[in-house]
Amino acid sequence: MQGEKLVASAVALEIVSSVVKLPPLPAAGMRLLAMARQPVAQIDLSAFAGLVETDPGLLSRVLQLANSPYYSSVHKIVGLRKAIIRIGLDEAINSVCLYFFQKMLPKIPPVEGFSVKDCWAHSWACAVAARRLGHPNLKMDVLPGELYIAGLLHGIGKLILAIHDPRDFSHCVRKARDHKRLLHEVEMDVFGTTDGLVASIIMENWGLPDSICTPVGFYTNPPAAPKAFQEMAGLIQLAWCISGLSGIGASGDGCLMEIHDPWILNQDGCSLNDAKTRQEVIQEIVLTLEKKSESVTGVAPKAESFPGVISSPACKQSSAGAGLSPGKRKGLLGKIAGLFRK
């Protein structure tokens, strides 16, 4: 991993000094992230509302979500505080974080086989899954808000590579698709490092804390992370796996990780080692994503984004990850349950 980190540092240095500049994280972004990392009971609603009101785009985003099909009622909401009350403070902050980072990056050139909108939708799904995995009832020693941010930003390195080197990144996406491989494995062949490691270094330059940067850097290989961050990296890996299963958006991967394979599920003492608990939590997450996705991201679930489920390190075809048709909730639950009987 030391070699991969050195290469990532070199790539990140080249990116930050290139002609296409990545902007620094604005002060408003740091304030927003500080709020998002806290337990929702500790967040000052007035401070959040004041932050949103300074940016017409953020204000429009909250109002749009409050009046979306998922949250909307008979009466249209035009006031920010009423909108926050309707959708909930935590949901409002999460949605604003998604919008903020989407708008922060410079224009991303077209990459064949890779959709920026789908990538953000997949990252949102990972963030929602990660936050649920950090719920106190699962007894994880992590902050759900930090898990959400790490899940949301776990894929930002793909977008950064697409901005910096669209030709080679396009080659990675095409090779992952054609050979049914995970994208980060192909990136190792082409770049000598992964998008997660590159992203973690860029995020450090933005001033984000280690508790977010390090799990993003190691989510594809949690045991290689410093011990203090292995659990969080493992939870992000599991959330990434679940978001793939959900069929929300697409990450550029040519296949999916088998639901039993995430590192954290094989660690002693993990509450998710219990198959019944794991099945119930994953069903809950996937159904939540299915219901909210289109209203929050503009992307509906689509299982056809992926050719099947894999078991690392080599891909294998499986019907378990295919055919999760949007809206067919009973079938969805049955397919998830089937994964745990294998």
Side-chain angles (χ1 to χ4, degrees):
M1 284 300 297
Q2 191 62 33
E4 294 168 25
K5 289 174 68 176
L6 287 173
V7 174
S9 296
V11 172
L13 179 61
E14 187 178 336
I15 288 171
V16 297
S17 59
S18 66
V19 174
V20 182
K21 295 289 186 183
L22 288 178
L25 191 66
M30 292 301 292
R31 290 170 56 200
L32 177 61
L33 288 177
M35 290 181 188
R37 294 169 61 200
Q38 299 175 37
V40 68
Q42 297 179 19
I43 299 172
D44 186 332
L45 189 151
S46 295
F48 173 68
L51 176 62
V52 171
E53 287 170 340
T54 63
D55 187 322
L58 298 183
L59 175 60
S60 175
R61 175 61 189 149
V62 175
L63 293 175
Q64 180 184 17
L65 183 59
N67 292 297
S68 68
Y70 181 78
Y71 290 101
S72 185
S73 61
V74 176
H75 304 291
K76 182 177 180 179
I77 284 183
V78 295
L80 175 60
R81 288 178 180 268
K82 288 184 177 180
I84 293 172
I85 291 170
R86 174 179 284 183
I87 66 180
L89 181 56
D90 56 343
E91 191 74 61
I93 290 176
N94 293 345
S95 177
V96 166
C97 284
L98 172 63
Y99 177 88
F100 177 85
F101 281 103
Q102 282 179 311
K103 298 303 179 184
M104 176 185 161
L105 294 179
K107 183 175 177 59
I108 300 169
V111 173
E112 182 185 356
F114 182 81
S115 162
V116 173
K117 185 176 183 179
D118 278 349
C119 182
W120 276 117
H122 186 273
S123 293
W124 167 81
C126 181
V128 172
R131 188 181 189 100
R132 175 62 184 90
L133 294 174
H135 192 280
N137 68 0
L138 292 177
K139 300 179 174 62
M140 300 294 179
D141 187 23
V142 292
L143 291 173
E146 287 197 334
L147 276 172
Y148 182 89
I149 297 301
L152 183 65
L153 298 179
H154 86 283
I156 200 169
K158 298 179 177 70
L159 303 175
I160 292 171
L161 288 177
I163 293 168
H164 175 68
D165 194 343
R167 187 189 67 175
D168 280 350
F169 183 70
S170 178
H171 173 65
C172 290
V173 171
R174 185 169 59 252
K175 188 173 179 180
R177 180 192 63 215
D178 293 346
H179 296 276
K180 297 181 174 58
R181 295 178 65 191
L182 294 171
L183 183 59
H184 70 268
E185 296 174 347
V186 180
E187 289 171 348
M188 280 298 303
D189 298 340
V190 175
F191 292 106
T193 190
T194 66
D195 63 86
L197 284 170
V198 172
S200 70
I201 295 167
I202 297 291
M203 288 157 54
E204 286 174 9
N205 290 337
W206 284 341
L208 271 64
D210 287 345
S211 56
I212 291 174
C213 299
T214 303
V216 167
F218 291 94
Y219 81 91
T220 58
N221 189 11
K227 191 169 182 61
F229 300 109
Q230 285 181 349
E231 181 179 54
M232 193 163 172
L235 289 170
I236 299 301
Q237 183 187 50
L238 177 56
W240 166 59
C241 178
I242 295 170
S243 60
L245 175 67
S246 75
I248 306 293
S251 63
D253 291 306
C255 47
L256 300 179
M257 175 176 275
E258 176 69 55
I259 195 62
H260 300 287
D261 284 351
W263 172 83
I264 199 165
L265 299 182
N266 300 302
Q267 303 309 299
D268 294 337
C270 177
S271 59
L272 291 165
N273 282 345
D274 178 71
K276 184 174 184 294
T277 299
R278 186 164 69 248
Q279 179 181 333
E280 289 174 352
V281 169
I282 292 176
Q283 285 178 341
E284 176 193 332
I285 291 170
V286 172
L287 292 181
T288 297
L289 294 174
E290 184 190 38
K291 289 186 291 184
K292 289 185 177 180
S293 176
E294 195 159 11
S295 289
V296 176
T297 70
V299 176
K302 53 181 186 303
E304 63 272 17
S305 297
F306 299 96
V309 175
I310 72 155
S311 180
S312 299
C315 289
K316 66 179 182 182
Q317 290 297 319
S318 167
S319 61
L324 296 178
S325 302
K328 295 184 178 179
R329 188 159 300 166
K330 184 176 179 181
L332 176 65
L333 290 172
K335 289 179 185 296
I336 296 173
L339 292 175
F340 294 95
R341 292 194 291 267
K342 294 191 173 186

